[in-house]
Amino acid sequence: MLRTDAVLADPRLAEAVGRLGRPIVKAAVTDAQELARQGLIGPAEVAETALGSLPHSATALRPVLNATGVLLHTNLGRAALSEPARQAVLAAAGATDVEFDLASGERAPRGRSTVRALLARVPAAQAAHVVNNGAAALVLAATALAQGREIVVSRGELVEIGDGFRLPDLLSSTGARLREVGTTNRTTVADYAAAIGSDTGFILKIHPSNFRITGFTGAVGVAELAALGPPVVADIGSGLLEREPLLPDEPDADSWLRAGADLVTASGDKLLGGPQCGLLLGRADAVRALARHPLARALRVDKLTLAALEATLTTPDTPTRRALHAGERELRTRAQRLAGVLSAEGIPARAVSSRAVVGGGGAPGVVLASSALALPEEFAVLLRQGPTPVVGRTADGCCLLDLRTVAPEADDRLAGAVRAAAGERGRRAGTPPRAAARNQAPERPCT
């Protein structure tokens, strides 16, 4: 049997070493050699077997096709980065001038070009700061502006943000005290005014972006809160920097700042379509107090996030925006084309109408008309476990692959994944992969 170093000298494995690192490739070779020792493969098959077992990359994270119809799927990493943002991450992967002035040779403000790009997108903001996520933005604001003091907030806005984490607990952990006002469904200006006193750190306005209360309700706008005197910190949640006509009920940072908010917080990986980060925009003195607080150091973002965020801000045609604005006719045409191609190959696929949502804690109740490929329900597991993992959703005995969350340029990859799933389905059933295409009575698609 060939020695390990001799196997590693195979040009294909040598290339993999440069891409994945020597330890990962060596481990694959060692495992293949053990199979050869057990007589399960021949010595000449060691290199080929090792190649076949190598991961796609040096991380265990697998790229997947999001066909769920949820634009910002938290479990799938929310917003997909645009190509300019991906290229920016690559450019920033080595040594950069992230905190260095090349002209003077002196230290420079960290992420200064990203902050400039953020301020250019939100004219009403005097200053901006970036932290590692939206929750961190609120934690920094509460710690710097209200530690040991009171935060006045409506009971109807004390939300749970996911995975069991609740804003009241998050805010209380900073040492601030919550002064809850109003009721679950109705809060008035008088409720806030009665709670304000010398111990008030700020008034907190939270947009309930992951649920809706309807019926006998009442809430107070930012402009009315700003007239009460104390600083107003407003969390818009979903990350819109300016108005989005398709989502008229979603607040945006620029509008709330113009309405009188002293500080607006938002997430970068939601409707903005950028990397995970928390945005803080507002009055210069308020932002300065946060940026110079000791906690800001623990919450700061790295150079890769800064690069991706800047590219997202300067080239805002993101995958999220394209998915949101995809036309119904275009989606229907794509679904019909894919269904026609696949059904001609004997795969039980058909085009159906679908309903997509924003997700990621944004635009609750908003339904986006869409189109999907409908396959038998068992395809859901096969697609998730295939060489190109596809995550769809199941409903009424079908696996639905919603095309609003699949980029048009990924249609061929999606079709290839469906073919691979169909082939695996046939192998498990003992049926040749293309037998259905020759059958006079092809399988009926799911209903």
Side-chain angles (χ1 to χ4, degrees):
M1 184 182 297
L2 288 176
R3 292 159 44 106
T4 301
D5 56 353
V7 180
L8 286 169
D10 183 297
R12 298 168 299 171
L13 290 169
E15 184 276 331
V17 167
R19 181 168 48 87
L20 301 173
R22 184 179 175 86
I24 290 176
V25 179
K26 183 178 179 180
V29 169
T30 301
D31 289 344
Q33 288 173 321
E34 182 59 30
L35 292 175
R37 291 188 188 96
Q38 296 174 16
L40 299 175
I41 62 173
E45 298 175 274
V46 168
E48 195 70 39
T49 301
L51 277 168
S53 68
L54 289 174
H56 295 276
S57 69
T59 174
L61 292 173
R62 295 283 302 279
V64 306
L65 284 177
N66 174 13
T68 63
V70 180
L71 274 62
L72 302 168
H73 199 300
T74 298
N75 301 136
L76 300 182
R78 289 188 182 155
L81 293 181
S82 64
E83 185 58 29
R86 295 179 189 217
Q87 292 301 320
V89 169
L90 289 175
T96 71
D97 59 346
V98 63
E99 224 169 308
F100 186 76
D101 188 325
L102 293 172
S104 68
E106 303 291 333
R107 183 171 183 162
R110 184 180 182 85
R112 55 204 178 278
S113 58
T114 304
V115 170
R116 285 197 296 268
L118 191 52
L119 294 177
R121 288 284 301 276
V122 188
Q126 296 176 357
H129 185 67
V130 183
V131 292
N132 55 16
N133 61 30
L138 271 180
V139 163
L140 183 56
T143 304
L145 304 178
Q147 189 173 51
R149 304 181 70 192
E150 288 185 345
I151 298 173
V152 180
V153 59
S154 169
R155 286 186 176 89
E157 298 175 3
L158 292 175
V159 300
E160 183 173 309
I161 56 177
D163 197 25
F165 289 96
R166 296 176 171 177
L167 281 184
D169 300 333
L170 191 74
L171 294 167
S172 296
S173 72
T174 68
R177 300 188 303 277
L178 296 185
R179 182 71 179 273
E180 301 176 22
V181 300
T183 62
T184 302
N185 60 316
R186 288 183 64 83
T187 305
T188 67
V189 173
D191 293 325
Y192 287 97
I196 292 172
S198 59
D199 214 22
T200 300
F202 60 81
I203 299 171
L204 177 60
K205 173 69 177 176
I206 300 172
H207 174 60
S209 56
N210 58 2
F211 72 97
R212 289 193 307 173
I213 298 178
T214 60
F216 186 56
T217 64
V220 182
V222 170
E224 295 173 284
L225 295 177
L228 294 176
V232 174
V233 175
D235 177 54
I236 62 172
S238 63
L240 282 180
L241 300 186
E242 58 271 317
R243 297 295 296 168
E244 170 52 70
L246 292 180
L247 305 172
D249 294 330
E250 284 294 299
D252 64 282
D254 196 65
S255 295
W256 272 17
L257 286 170
R258 292 184 188 280
D262 298 272
L263 193 67
V264 166
T265 66
S267 295
D269 59 341
K270 296 185 181 180
L271 286 169
L272 178 59
Q276 177 176 297
C277 59
L279 311 178
L280 293 139
L281 303 120
R283 272 196 357 250
D285 57 339
V287 174
R288 189 180 306 113
L290 271 58
R292 298 312 305 165
H293 191 278
L295 184 60
R297 173 75 179 193
L299 302 178
R300 79 176 190 177
V301 293
D302 72 330
K303 60 185 180 181
L304 303 182
T305 301
L306 289 169
L309 177 59
E310 181 179 357
T312 300
L313 292 164
T314 55
T315 53
D317 185 25
T318 64
T320 299
R321 179 175 175 78
R322 289 197 294 273
L324 181 64
H325 287 265
E328 294 179 43
R329 179 179 297 179
E330 173 200 353
L331 293 169
R332 184 166 55 252
T333 299
R334 289 172 55 200
Q336 290 171 343
R337 184 186 70 81
L338 285 169
V341 169
L342 293 169
S343 61
E345 298 174 12
I347 298 172
R350 65 190 180 97
V352 298
S353 297
S354 182
R355 305 202 311 169
V357 296
V358 171
V366 174
V367 174
L368 304 168
S370 188
S371 292
L373 281 180
L375 299 159
E377 189 170 12
E378 63 189 290
F379 270 77
V381 174
L382 296 169
L383 285 164
R384 290 201 309 270
Q385 299 176 353
T388 300
V390 178
V391 182
R393 69 179 190 271
T394 58
D396 301 324
C398 291
C399 168
L400 298 178
L401 305 180
D402 195 303
L403 295 186
R404 187 174 282 276
T405 52
V406 178
E409 58 268 25
D411 280 357
D412 290 343
R413 287 174 58 207
L414 181 65
V418 173
R419 291 187 186 99
E424 178 61 24
R425 181 178 183 239
R427 281 187 288 274
R428 293 182 183 183
T431 306
R434 296 188 64 85
R438 299 190 299 269
N439 196 320
Q440 295 300 315
E443 178 181 359
R444 183 183 179 189
C446 68
T447 57

